[in-house]
């Protein structure tokens, strides 16, 4: 847990002290930075390759299902929303609400997994796989890598749900915050991935 | 972060997502389309970082570090596509 204290003097000379705290633990934030860096390389590499193969990428993107990406974006944003509500609930020691929000968050993550698997099978049925062309090699590599992060995020969410049910966050919620932050990172990555692959 | 802010942020994120899909169908100018879609990515990123991750109330260094990511990555992608 990292803390910094800032002080300011306002017009009537009273001193305000603001305690700023980094949610979760520092190790998780370094892990998040490492993950973001790896995906940044993927995103930039994808954009550069698209610029070198514009026609191929345009034709290949047209073969993706137009609605699947949108459904997954809405599912991950809403899942992240429920996890944010869960964090707010646990900070007020509302265990029942926390568990309900976390379960809803995981159900929406499950929607993402099912739609993504359906999308892969839709492409396989059309005779498209990772070796079809450069676009689909990058598409399968990047989306499958993100898919694995969603699974890891769901394991973390399941773990903090079980701990919340056992009232394990009565004294310290930094472990909960760390898990929630990881899940929001998974959402953040998809926010960039979605327009790159489906819209642009 | 209070519940009202979290709900407002979710509404903004959903609206921006639908807007980014809609932009592609109504904007004819390719450069403007790219700029708008990638600007929306940055705005959505800011919502997730400040509200969902609660970094608005965190030490400034960490907030700016994460915000710079959602500004720089879309900006680099925009430059690549415009070259």
């Amino acid at each position: 847990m990292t803390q910094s204290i800032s002080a300011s003097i306002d017009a009537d000379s009273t001193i305000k002290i603001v305690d700023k705290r980094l949610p979760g633990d520092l190790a998780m934030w370094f892990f998040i930075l490492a993950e973001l860096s790896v995906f940044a390389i993927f995103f930039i590499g994808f954009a550069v390759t698209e610029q070198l193969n514009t026609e191929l990428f345009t034709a290949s993107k047209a073969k993706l299902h137009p609605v699947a990406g949108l459904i997954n974006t809405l599912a991950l944003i809403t899942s992240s929303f429920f996890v944010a509500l869960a964090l707010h609930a646990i900070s007020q020691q509302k265990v029942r609400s926390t568990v309900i929000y976390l379960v809803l968050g995981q159900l929406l993550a499950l929607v993402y997994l099912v739609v993504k698997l359906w999308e892969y099978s839709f492409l396989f049925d059309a005779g498209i796989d990772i070796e079809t062309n450069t676009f689909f090699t990058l598409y399968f590599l990047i989306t499958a890598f993100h898919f694995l992060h969603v699974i890891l995020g769901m394991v973390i969410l399941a773990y903090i749900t079980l701990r919340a049910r056992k009232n394990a966050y009565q004294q310290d919620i930094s472990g909960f915050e760390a898990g929630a932050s990881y899940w929001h990172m998974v959402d953040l990555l998809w926010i960039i991935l979605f327009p790159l692959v489906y819209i642009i | 972060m209070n519940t009202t802010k979290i709900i407002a942020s979710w509404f903004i994120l959903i609206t921006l997502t639908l807007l980014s899909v809609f932009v592609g169908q109504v904007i004819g100018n390719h450069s403007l389309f790219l700029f708008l879609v990638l600007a929306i990515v940055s705005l959505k990123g800011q919502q997730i970082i400040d509200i969902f991750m609660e970094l608005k109330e965190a030490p400034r260094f960490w907030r700016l570090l994460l915000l710079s990511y959602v500004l720089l990555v879309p900006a680099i992608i925009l430059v690549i596509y415009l070259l």
Side-chain angles (χ1 to χ4, degrees):
Chain A
M1 192 183 303
T2 300
Q3 287 184 312
S4 69
I5 297 174
S6 62
S8 64
I9 303 174
D10 62 17
D12 59 359
S13 297
T14 55
I15 298 174
K16 288 179 180 173
I17 295 178
V18 182
D19 181 12
K20 293 194 167 187
R21 189 181 68 83
L22 185 66
D25 60 74
L26 195 58
M28 177 58 90
W29 284 102
F30 278 112
F31 183 57
I32 286 172
L33 287 182
E35 295 276 34
L36 289 175
S37 304
V38 170
F39 272 94
I41 293 166
F42 277 139
F43 297 147
I44 292 167
F46 184 93
V48 170
T49 314
E50 177 160 8
Q51 274 305 84
L52 297 172
N53 303 276
T54 312
E55 286 179 14
L56 173 74
F57 271 57
T58 306
S60 300
K61 283 182 179 184
K63 291 175 182 167
L64 296 177
H65 195 281
V67 185
L70 178 62
I71 293 171
N72 274 344
T73 307
L74 300 178
L76 279 188
I77 286 172
T78 310
S79 174
S80 231
F81 162 70
F82 281 122
V83 172
L85 287 178
L87 179 58
H88 179 67
I90 200 69
S91 68
Q92 298 184 324
Q93 293 302 317
K94 294 177 180 170
V95 173
R96 190 177 145 77
S97 301
T98 301
V99 170
I100 291 170
Y101 288 140
L102 283 174
V103 169
L104 287 171
Q106 287 166 87
L107 284 174
L108 282 155
L110 198 61
V111 169
Y112 170 91
L113 293 184
V114 170
V115 170
K116 200 78 215 144
L117 286 175
W118 175 84
E119 195 184 6
Y120 285 156
S121 99
F122 170 80
L123 290 170
F124 293 149
D125 288 346
I128 294 166
D129 60 33
I130 197 165
E131 293 180 342
T132 299
N133 60 35
T134 311
F135 170 81
F136 281 108
T137 301
L138 288 175
Y139 166 82
F140 280 109
L141 276 177
I142 299 174
T143 59
F145 192 50
H146 183 265
F147 187 92
L148 292 175
H149 282 75
V150 174
I151 292 174
L152 176 59
M154 287 179 74
V155 171
I156 292 171
L157 290 182
Y159 176 73
I160 62 175
T161 306
L162 289 176
R163 300 246 312 149
R165 279 191 68 184
K166 291 177 182 170
N167 288 319
Y169 297 112
Q170 284 181 326
Q171 305 293 328
D172 177 16
I173 61 165
S174 62
F176 193 108
E177 289 173 331
S181 297
Y182 182 85
W183 186 248
H184 297 313
M185 178 210 70
V186 171
D187 185 25
L188 189 64
L189 291 171
W190 183 260
I191 292 294
I192 303 173
L193 191 50
F194 168 61
L196 201 59
V197 172
Y198 294 90
I199 297 180
I200 293 174
Chain B
M1 202 57 65
N2 66 48
T3 311
T4 311
K5 281 187 182 172
I6 296 169
I7 293 170
S9 186
W10 173 78
F11 187 75
I12 291 168
L13 285 165
I14 296 293
T15 306
L16 287 174
T17 300
L18 297 174
L19 192 65
S20 67
V21 175
F22 183 68
V23 157
Q25 290 164 359
V26 293
I27 304 282
N29 183 313
H30 190 62
S31 300
L32 179 62
F33 157 71
L34 286 172
F35 175 79
L36 288 174
V37 169
L38 291 166
I40 287 172
V41 169
S42 295
L43 289 172
K44 287 165 75 178
Q46 181 267 331
Q47 286 295 312
I48 292 169
I49 289 163
D50 275 348
I51 311 298
F52 287 3
M53 287 179 160
E54 298 194 341
L55 288 188
K56 197 169 188 176
E57 294 160 4
R60 185 181 292 180
F61 169 78
W62 283 96
R63 179 177 181 237
L64 293 181
L65 196 62
L66 270 284
L67 286 178
S68 65
Y69 183 86
V70 293
L71 275 175
L72 278 177
V73 172
I76 292 169
I77 292 169
L78 179 65
V79 170
I80 291 167
Y81 281 131
L82 291 180
L83 284 176

